[in-house]
Amino acid sequence: MSDGSQTLERGLAVLAELARHPDGLTTAEVAAACGLHRSITHRLLVSLKRTGFAVRDDAGRHRVGPSARAVAGTGPALRELAVPVLDTLAREVDATASLVEVVGDAAVTVLVAEPPTHGPRFSYRLGSRDPLDRGAGGLAALASGPPRPGEPERVAAVRETGLVTTYAELHPGAYGLAAPVRGWPVRASVSVVTGREELTRSAVEPLRRAVEALRAEGCQP
């Protein structure tokens, strides 16, 4: 029996081929270049996309993803890109917006943006550590990556819908609204916290635009 993993070797070959074509390749082009059956190539690309090592654009072309660039030490940092995105979101919805990352067994608030207007509002303290099984930010951050053993049951629903709303799970009277930030090697989410129930509806589209902007930025070659 030979040592090593044929699947791993094939996956690395696909990744290397993508790296040689910054404009992207279709599944058929990857299969031809690597000498693989198209169905095998499709499965490998699905795995690479799921883990952030490859991305697929609207034209169906695959390129190297942010996870590969993070391993190589190149590409933009999520927190750096999130600063203007969070500022815009906080102004648009008139509520506190934050970037939450999974760090160990906690949901950690790594960036906070406050709206410019004055008045009563809920705020998150930078560096706050919250449980992963409660609160919109942590649940959505878990949902930004593939399923993992022991995750809360409702994370699957968040992964499916791309959105979660909670009430009073971390702070009395606070509504949380969060969406997963996909396509990065770190599990993360953008969260909005408010005391106004109606904002959990009006902020949905601005929040979706924010996370899509971060996903798109992370997918740049």
Side-chain angles (χ1 to χ4, degrees), residues 9-21 25 34 48 64:
E9 290 171 0
R10 286 173 168 175
L12 290 173
V14 168
L15 186 59
E17 195 61 36
L18 294 180
R20 286 191 282 270
H21 296 83
L25 295 170
C34 296
L48 289 171
V64 170

Side-chain angles (χ1 to χ4, degrees), residues 12-113:
L12 290 173
V14 168
L15 186 59
E17 195 61 36
L18 294 180
R20 286 191 282 270
H21 296 83
D23 292 334
L25 295 170
T26 65
T27 300
E29 289 170 339
V30 175
C34 296
L36 298 172
H37 192 278
R38 183 164 179 165
S39 63
I40 294 174
T41 305
H42 171 74
R43 290 196 296 271
L44 292 170
L45 287 168
V46 167
S47 294
L48 289 171
K49 286 183 291 183
R50 185 180 296 130
T51 54
F53 282 88
V55 293
R56 181 180 183 274
D57 62 24
D58 293 337
R61 303 187 73 81
H62 304 273
R63 293 181 279 110
V64 170
S67 293
R69 294 195 299 276
V71 171
T74 62
L78 174 58
R79 297 183 192 182
E80 177 184 352
L81 293 171
V83 171
V85 174
L86 289 185
D87 286 342
T88 298
L89 177 62
R91 288 196 305 271
E92 188 172 358
V93 303
D94 191 27
T96 301
S98 61
L99 179 69
V100 177
E101 294 182 0
V102 175
V103 181
D105 60 353
V108 179
T109 301
V110 297
L111 280 178
V112 175

Side-chain angles (χ1 to χ4, degrees), residues 117-181:
T117 56
H118 298 288
R121 60 174 177 260
F122 286 94
S123 296
Y124 265 117
R125 180 175 58 84
L126 189 65
S128 293
R129 297 176 64 88
D130 296 311
L132 286 170
D133 61 348
R134 297 196 306 279
L139 293 169
L142 283 175
S144 68
R148 69 181 195 180
E151 70 179 18
E153 290 184 4
R154 54 183 173 161
V155 173
V158 183
R159 192 174 284 115
E160 178 70 22
T161 63
L163 200 71
V164 59
T165 303
T166 59
Y167 175 68
E169 293 196 4
L170 296 175
H171 305 285
Y175 291 91
L177 177 68
V181 179

